[in-house]
């Protein structure tokens, strides 16, 4: 009995050490979003350039996730987690000393690589250390950063920028990562690799990574079509289509080697889930990039106050997290997601009408509603992606969903930034023109939410099963 207690205590300690290492990467994304407007003015960058501070990070994270899935089977988990922390540390240092937008983006990409190693490993190593026991309580520990990030990140980031300087958003990561690394070196056991996993398929990574990167590059250049520089947008989009076509052909010819089996997309609810995960990148991640710009440039809020306002969205997400899982198990993902889409519309449509004089209470209330929708647009979709998936394809399904969710975030941010830039064009960005550009972005988000009802219809429906049984 004493040994069991000690073992359970040691597992909790392992979980807490791993979670501490993940706090900086998870908080970093929300802190950076709040500082985007300040960084843009300080570095003299446009929206089309500054969006890569978010897009580059999330794109790198999405591409590195499948590589991490392979590496955990071939490299000691403890060493791999430390590698992730070192990448994140290096990226934080580069970002913190950057004096140009190019250097800052490079730092963010390196940070994204580190996060792409740390975040997937967090769950995997905790499950391995527990042997599959007491997962409920351990998952609640894992959820700490995910819950704290949308609530504390914007406020903490706003406070740092207001009190110190935007560079300190990245400087602050340095001591946190060093402490985390020391705890992992001295407090974490080794996680021996099984060396039985699938070999890393370089052609898959190159084809998929190249396709997604080219697509985002093309989207970010669409705003220049008006100027007659269409090749800058069209060429990357053509390359993206060719690379994706190349992957499809490769996956057919090399079915056993390909990173993601095309068999998965024959499963109706899996295909619907992946489409929704990509679309949620626009409705969730993209809007998180947009909101701080709107609050600071139109509402005239300081960096601190814009962060405080965004707390209401984090609270909404926290409220929905506790209900969405139970409702999904009982009703199925279809109904939960469909209802969440309508809640998302109710939490986005008012932003297409809000002006600089709209009551602050309305802003806070609508942000809270948006937060509720976020939980219902991601958690049920992610869980439903595993329904009806054969056991031998579960690892590939995990790779696909995690990769597409993050890349969807990069695509969403790029699209909204392009809409803003396209609306402004070569004109001086007056307050009225900025308001119009933000309104256009929110209109596009609302339209995307309406379109999301189509794939949502193909998710699983438990109510139908209950009626058949009755």
């Amino acid at each position: 009995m004493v040994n069991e207690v000690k073992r359970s205590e040691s597992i909790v300690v392992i979980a807490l050490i791993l979670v501490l290492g993940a706090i900086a990467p998870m908080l970093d994304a929300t802190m950076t979003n709040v500082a985007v407007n300040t960084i843009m003015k300080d570095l003299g960058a446009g929206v089309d350039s500054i969006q890569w501070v978010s897009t580059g990070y999330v794109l790198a994270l999405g591409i590195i996730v499948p590589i991490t899935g392979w590496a955990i089977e071939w490299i000691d988990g403890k060493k791999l987690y430390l590698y992730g922390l070192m990448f994140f540390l290096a990226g934080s240092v580069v970002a913190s000393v950057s004096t140009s937008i190019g250097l800052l983006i490079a730092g963010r990409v390196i940070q994204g690589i580190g996060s792409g190693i740390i975040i997937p490993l967090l769950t995997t190593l905790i499950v391995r250390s527990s042997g599959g026991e007491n997962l409920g309580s351990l998952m609640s520990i894992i959820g700490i950063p995910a819950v704290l990030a949308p609530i504390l990140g914007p406020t903490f980031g706003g406070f740092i920028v207001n009190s110190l300087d935007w560079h300190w958003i990245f400087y602050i990561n340095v001591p946190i990562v060093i402490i985390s690394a020391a705890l992992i070196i001295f407090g974490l056991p080794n996680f021996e690799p099984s060396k039985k996993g699938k070999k890393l398929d370089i052609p898959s990574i190159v084809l998929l990574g190249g396709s997604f990167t080219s697509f985002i590059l093309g989207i970010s250049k669409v705003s220049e079509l008006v100027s007659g520089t269409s090749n800058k947008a069209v060429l990357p989009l053509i390359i993206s289509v060719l690379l994706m076509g190349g992957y499809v052909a490769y996956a057919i010819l090399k079915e056993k080697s390909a990173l993601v089996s095309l068999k998965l997309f024959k499963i109706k609810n899996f295909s619907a889930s992946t489409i929704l995960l990509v679309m949620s990148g626009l409705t969730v991640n993209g809007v998180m990039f947009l909101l701080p710009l709107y609050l600071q440039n139109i509402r005239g809020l300081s960096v601190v106050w814009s962060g405080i306002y965004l707390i209401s969205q984090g609270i909404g997400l926290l409220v929905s997290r506790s209900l969405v899982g139970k409702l999904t198990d009982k009703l199925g993902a279809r109904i939960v997601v469909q209802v969440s889409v309508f809640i998302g519309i109710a939490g986005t449509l008012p932003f297409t009408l809000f002006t600089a004089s709209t009551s602050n209470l309305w802003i806070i209330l609508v942000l809270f509603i948006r937060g509720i929708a976020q939980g219902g647009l991601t958690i049920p979709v992610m869980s439903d992606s595993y329904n009806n998936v054969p056991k031998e394809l579960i690892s590939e399904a995990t790779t696909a969903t995690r990769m597409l969710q993050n890349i969807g975030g990069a695509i969403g941010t790029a699209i909204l930034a392009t809409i803003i830039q396209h609306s402004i064009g070569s004109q001086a960005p007056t307050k009225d023109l900025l308001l119009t550009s933000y309104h256009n972005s929110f209109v596009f988000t609302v339209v995307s939410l309406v379109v999301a009802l189509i794939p949502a219809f193909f998710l699983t429906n438990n109510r139908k099963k209950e009626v058949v049984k009755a």
Side-chain angles (χ1 to χ4, degrees), residues 430-443:
T430 62
K431 193 169 185 178
D432 288 340
L433 189 57
L434 283 172
L435 180 60
T436 300
S437 69
Y438 295 144
H439 279 172
N440 291 341
S441 297
F442 285 121
V443 167

Side-chain angles (χ1 to χ4, degrees), residues 80-307:
L80 193 59
Y81 204 88
L82 283 170
Y83 294 154
L85 283 173
M86 292 306 103
F87 268 109
F88 189 78
L89 177 63
S92 297
V93 171
V94 171
S96 64
V97 300
S98 59
T99 54
S100 68
I101 190 65
L103 193 59
L104 177 58
I105 292 169
R108 291 290 285 162
V109 168
I110 298 169
Q111 278 189 315
I113 292 171
S115 295
I117 297 172
I118 293 167
I119 293 172
L121 277 181
L122 175 63
T123 304
T124 304
L125 295 183
I126 289 177
V127 170
R128 285 191 180 183
S129 66
S130 69
E133 297 176 7
N134 302 317
L135 286 180
S137 57
L138 290 173
M139 289 302 164
S140 65
I141 296 173
I142 294 174
I144 291 172
V147 171
L148 289 178
I151 297 174
L152 296 183
T155 313
F156 191 43
F159 177 78
I160 291 174
V161 173
N162 190 63
S163 302
L164 299 167
D165 181 76
W166 66 262
H167 294 85
W168 280 92
I169 282 180
F170 305 109
Y171 277 128
I172 198 70
N173 293 328
V174 175
I176 295 173
V177 171
I178 290 172
I179 292 168
S180 300
L183 288 171
I184 286 167
I185 291 169
F186 297 107
L188 217 61
N190 291 324
F191 293 88
E192 295 296 331
S194 65
K195 296 189 177 180
K196 294 179 181 179
K198 205 174 186 179
K199 290 185 177 180
L200 181 64
D201 190 56
I202 299 297
S204 293
I205 297 293
V206 171
L207 289 168
L208 288 174
S211 178
F212 292 131
T213 304
S214 298
F215 182 77
I216 293 168
L217 280 170
I219 289 295
S220 66
K221 294 296 181 182
V222 166
S223 61
E224 297 182 12
L225 288 174
V226 168
S227 309
T229 55
S230 57
N231 287 342
K232 288 187 178 181
V234 174
L235 186 58
L237 293 175
I238 291 173
I239 292 172
S240 174
V241 172
L242 291 174
L243 288 171
M244 185 55 71
Y247 177 77
V248 171
Y250 178 78
I252 292 171
L253 295 172
K254 298 282 187 179
E255 186 180 333
K256 293 183 179 179
S257 302
L259 186 67
V260 178
S261 173
L262 297 182
K263 289 180 181 178
L264 284 167
F265 296 95
K266 294 179 181 178
I267 303 168
K268 186 172 61 176
N269 59 284
F270 180 84
S271 294
S273 295
T274 53
I275 292 169
L276 285 166
L277 284 172
V278 173
M279 293 185 74
S280 72
L282 172 67
T283 57
V284 178
N285 299 68
V287 175
M288 281 303 293
F289 167 80
L290 178 63
L291 282 170
L293 293 173
Y294 170 81
L295 292 173
Q296 292 170 40
N297 290 328
I298 303 302
R299 303 295 300 179
L301 297 179
S302 67
V303 182
V304 173
W305 274 106
S306 62

